[in-house]
Amino acid sequence: MVDLSKLYSMNRLYYVLLAIGGLSVLGGAYAVFMMEHHGHIISGMNNQIVWGMPHVFAIFLIVAASGVLNVASIGSVFGKAVYKARAPLASLLSLAMLAGGLAVLMLDLGRPDRIIVAATNYNPTSVFAWNVVLYSGMFSLVIVYLWTMMERRMNPFNKAAGLAVFIWRFVLTTGTGLIFAFLTARQAYGSALLPPMFIVLSFAWGLAVFHVVQKVIYAWNEKALDPAILQRTKNLLGVFIVGSLYMVATYHFTNMYFAQQKGFELFILRDGGIYPNLFWWGYVVFGNVLPLLLIYFPGLGKTKCVMVASMLVVLGAFALLYVFIIGGQAYPLNIFPGYEVSSTFADGQIASYTPSIYEFLLGFGGLAIAFLITTVSVRVLNFMPQDKPYISD
Amino acid sequence: MSDIDTQRRQFLKTSAGAAAIAIAPGMMLYQTAHGDTAEASSKVRWGMLIDTAQCKEGCNDCVTACNKENGLSGKTGTTDSQWIRKIEIKDISNGHTVSLPMMCQHCEHPPCVDVCPTNASFKRADGIVLVDRHLCIGCRYCMMACPYKARSFVHETLEDQNPDVPRGKGTVEACSLCVHRIDKGQIPACAEACQNKAILFGDLNDANSEIHKKVRSVATVQIRADLQLNPGVRYQGL
């Protein structure tokens, strides 16, 4: 006989999850209303730190949204069956995180009510304007891609759609990296290394998010993931972590070689208080070294280890983005090279920043949007990976 | 002529008169609001030459004048707008100190204009870099891109604005070179207020202008000239 009580409790849990997600979205909406009403004065942002906590959340979500599609691409473009079975879930996660990230980015604007202006007045030299096209294009493409996977009659177009998504997301993450790469005057940014760095980071962050969600979905359906599959994807995560660590290290090494960048590097890596702490402890140790140990250390690397490793990678991502975005602005802009400067506008001073509760509410609101889209979709549609009884590749 | 024709003619006359009376004040107000609609000329390149030898440390007259002219509060908190600020710089190698005003440098190739997604940041034909407050969505990308930190974001509701200089919460703003004064044939408020005549304003392209002659005859520098933005504001004595 079917045990109905279990079904009921699962049902209840689903609505509890919806309520938690819904409340978080409401919290975000409240923050937006407050910032609209009072202005950004209630945020921690100011004229020196112009992009703050909401941007950390938004950029994480957008970069991870692109990276999670790696799972789909390995399936659709490179024909690996294990990954192909996971392509629908990866696409869903991509849509969900893109929606969450874009919502945060748009609602943090000084005039979110004018968002339509971004579509009617288009500046072709602005990377932001390019990204308007890249993000909306990505959204539509992934929907089409999902359609080719979930509708049998559309299956023949799956390969083409997969290839299009594969190319598009590279361009998209390049666009995200370029937002910073084009800032020539700022010591922290203005490097051609940033777009490839963001691409490699996206691989690790996307796969980490995928691991966590996949584990939850398997648990929800009372299934156990085939250890052989976990073995493959966890090794891939390990490679991505090493790759992203390499890119970040290269970025800092090249900077340190330039005498003019030395002050900035010392600030970020040694003297900057919270920033070097977050960088070394948050990003390097907890976000990379520990996950690598959990994945590769003999005797470890089991399901739980991979889960913890994935969650640590996500935490490390937030630490790195905080250092990159906020630390990058906190270090004073070098307007007069070779001079000591002071003014009423914080010239020559390390800018201070304390994120306010509204920024966190907005950021978590974005996460909650992604969470809600995923939870509802997984419940109403079949996103459970369907593995074949054997692994063909 | 029939009676009906006369009546019709009378009706049309009265209507035309009434319409003219109704529209006329509107037209006049439109004219007043838009003032001289002559377009800015690309033959002109407005600019400034700042003589740092004449700029006194501790003197804040240009800043005060700017705040008054543009309706800024004059407060210097981290979220307050500062369109012009005094910077004290000290040469690390020899300890030589200089005081100078810093504001939007009105670049020929302004990074703020390049990065603005909505064309809200724009450069007028006569070289003045401005923000269209109706198009600005408040993304602050221009603030990230400006090498001079010349821009401020309006963090809270504004009161007591100068009607000539509309500003708005949630948008970005910066020195407009007092464009509203220039269009009336006046010079920017900071240049007018400087008692030591440290700020020389004029048309860099006009061979007969004082600024043109001065830039040709004395050594001047552009701040962060390495970026090759060709700012319209130049400094002497740096």
Side-chain angles (χ1 to χ4, degrees):
Chain A
M1 207 183 106
V2 185
D3 182 6
L4 281 179
S5 67
K6 190 155 177 65
L7 207 61
Y8 285 137
S9 77
M10 290 286 273
N11 213 20
R12 209 170 301 138
L13 180 62
Y14 170 69
Y15 285 108
V16 169
L17 288 179
L18 279 197
I20 294 171
L23 281 177
S24 305
V25 172
L26 268 183
Y30 172 70
V32 172
F33 168 76
M34 291 297 278
M35 285 220 262
E36 264 288 88
H37 188 71
H38 296 281
H40 276 60
I41 189 94
I42 61 166
S43 78
M45 292 175 269
N46 51 53
N47 281 326
Q48 311 302 327
I49 308 284
V50 302
W51 288 348
M53 213 58 204
H55 301 81
V56 171
F57 277 86
I59 291 174
F60 170 77
L61 282 167
I62 291 167
V63 170
S66 148
V68 74
L69 282 170
N70 218 30
V71 175
S73 297
I74 298 172
S76 282
V77 179
F78 301 106
K80 305 284 176 199
V82 167
Y83 290 94
K84 199 159 171 57
R86 282 157 182 77
L89 180 58
S91 308
L92 169 68
L93 281 175
S94 174
L95 284 179
M97 287 196 281
L98 201 56
L102 290 182
V104 174
L105 211 53
M106 287 196 290
L107 293 171
D108 173 73
L109 292 175
R111 295 294 304 261
D113 52 312
R114 284 184 185 165
I115 190 64
I116 195 69
V117 176
T120 54
N121 283 66
Y122 191 83
N123 177 10
T125 63
S126 167
V127 200
F128 260 14
W130 301 351
N131 282 345
V132 171
V133 174
L134 287 174
Y135 295 154
S136 45
M138 173 92 154
F139 214 86
S140 328
L141 260 186
V142 175
I143 288 175
V144 170
Y145 178 53
L146 258 180
W147 188 29
T148 64
M149 285 188 284
M150 301 188 95
E151 163 63 58
R152 206 177 293 271
R153 284 170 299 173
M154 290 296 288
N155 282 170
F157 303 104
N158 177 249
K159 186 114 190 167
L163 189 65
V165 167
F166 175 67
I167 295 168
W168 197 277
R169 78 188 165 80
F170 270 95
V171 181
L172 178 126
T173 319
T174 303
T176 310
L178 285 179
I179 292 176
F180 297 97
F182 281 178
L183 299 173
T184 53
R186 299 238 174 204
Q187 288 88 330
Y189 315 125
S191 160
L193 208 56
L194 296 179
M197 183 176 106
F198 269 78
I199 288 177
V200 180
L201 287 170
S202 83
F203 290 172
W205 299 352
L207 191 55
V209 171
F210 184 83
H211 269 142
V212 175
V213 176
Q214 177 180 246
K215 165 77 185 147
V216 173
I217 290 177
Y218 269 76
W220 184 273
N221 288 296
E222 296 178 327
K223 297 272 187 297
L225 181 63
D226 183 347
I229 293 173
L230 185 72
Q231 180 71 21
R232 285 177 64 172
T233 55
K234 78 153 189 155
N235 283 341
L236 188 64
L237 181 63
V239 172
F240 287 162
I241 293 173
V242 172
S244 57
L245 203 53
Y246 165 77
M247 292 305 287
V248 173
T250 311
Y251 160 75
H252 285 294
F253 271 125
T254 47
N255 261 350
M256 275 191 284
Y257 201 83
F258 304 152
Q260 62 191 23
Q261 295 283 49
K262 212 166 182 176
F264 167 70
E265 283 301 326
L266 288 178
F267 171 74
I268 287 291
L269 300 179
R270 197 188 72 192
D271 308 326
I274 183 171
Y275 305 111
N277 271 319
L278 271 179
F279 181 80
W280 291 110
W281 289 108
Y283 178 66
V284 177
V285 175
F286 285 101
N288 287 277
V289 176
L290 220 54
L292 281 177
L293 284 177
L294 284 167
I295 290 169
Y296 288 124
F297 199 75
L300 297 176
K302 304 282 168 354
T303 312
K304 259 201 192 114
C305 293
V306 178
M307 273 322 101
V308 176
S310 298
M311 285 191 250
L312 284 174
V313 167
V314 172
L315 279 181
F318 275 87
L320 178 70
L321 284 174
Y322 191 91
V323 173
F324 180 72
I325 297 173
I326 295 163
Q329 296 171 81
Y331 189 74
L333 198 55
N334 199 5
I335 304 176
F336 295 94
Y339 288 89
E340 259 177 36
V341 296
S342 64
S343 79
T344 53
F345 203 57
D347 287 287
Q349 292 168 29
I350 307 294
S352 65
Y353 169 73
T354 315
S356 81
I357 179 77
Y358 301 103
E359 290 172 76
F360 281 107
L361 282 177
L362 180 57
F364 279 107
L367 289 182
I369 289 175
F371 173 78
L372 274 186
I373 293 177
T374 312
T375 312
V376 174
S377 307
V378 165
R379 167 99 172 173
V380 298
L381 293 167
N382 184 12
F383 282 102
M384 178 77 191
Q386 309 287 339
D387 284 306
K388 297 196 173 103
Y390 62 93
I391 298 170
S392 61
D393 46 49
Chain B
M1 208 187 298
S2 78
D3 198 31
I4 290 177
D5 275 350
T6 319
Q7 271 184 17
R8 184 182 290 154
R9 206 170 278 182
Q10 198 60 41
F11 172 73
L12 286 173
K13 267 189 207 160
T14 318
S15 310
I21 289 167
I23 293 170
M27 294 295 286
M28 270 173 63
L29 281 176
Y30 184 87
Q31 285 239 304
T32 314
H34 287 75
D36 185 7
T37 50
E39 279 188 23
S41 163
S42 59
K43 289 186 186 132
V44 176
R45 171 95 202 268
W46 294 120
M48 281 179 171
L49 175 60
I50 291 158
D51 185 354
T52 56
Q54 302 304 320
C55 184
K56 295 280 172 288
E57 194 179 332
C59 171
N60 228 18
D61 289 354
C62 52
V63 179
T64 314
C66 173
N67 290 340
K68 187 161 174 274
E69 180 64 36
N70 296 297
L72 306 181
S73 70
K75 287 190 240 164
T76 56
T78 54
T79 52
D80 293 309
S81 288
Q82 296 187 45
W83 290 13
I84 182 172
R85 62 191 190 269
K86 284 292 297 289
I87 300 189
E88 320 300 332
I89 65 172
K90 183 172 148 195
D91 193 326
I92 296 168
S93 56
N94 57 24
H96 175 61
T97 60
V98 174
S99 181
L100 52 84
M102 170 58 66
M103 70 298 258
C104 172
Q105 303 285 295
H106 299 279
C107 309
E108 185 190 351
H109 309 291
C112 55
V113 173
D114 286 342
V115 301
C116 177
T118 63
N119 292 316
S121 286
F122 68 102
K123 189 178 61 138
R124 232 168 65 144
D126 54 7
I128 304 178
V129 176
L130 297 168
V131 182
D132 185 331
R133 303 304 202 291
H134 297 287
L135 293 181
C136 178
I137 55 174
C139 72
R140 286 102 81 199
Y141 197 13
C142 55
M143 298 174 75
M144 291 290 276
C146 177
Y148 308 102
K149 257 191 355 183
R151 293 197 159 187
S152 296
F153 179 67
V154 182
H155 284 79
E156 51 192 324
T157 310
L158 300 168
E159 276 149 18
D160 296 329
Q161 295 196 43
N162 176 357
D164 277 340
V165 189
R167 305 166 56 207
K169 179 178 77 181
T171 62
V172 174
E173 55 184 25
C175 157
S176 65
L177 218 58
C178 282
V179 64
H180 57 289
R181 290 171 60 99
I182 293 177
D183 286 349
K184 282 189 267 183
Q186 298 169 312
I187 66 169
C190 56
E192 193 177 79
C194 183
Q195 291 176 6
N196 300 314
K197 304 279 175 246
I199 304 177
L200 175 62
F201 168 81
D203 178 5
L204 288 162
N205 286 349
D206 177 2
N208 296 318
S209 71
E210 201 184 339
I211 189 168
H212 181 92
K213 289 177 191 158
K214 202 98 185 259
V215 166
R216 276 179 67 108
S217 59
V218 299
T220 66
V221 294
Q222 300 174 333
I223 310 288
R224 288 302 307 265
D226 57 316
L227 298 173
Q228 305 206 350
L229 305 172
N230 190 16
V233 179
R234 288 148 200 249
Y235 291 81
Q236 183 186 342
L238 272 186

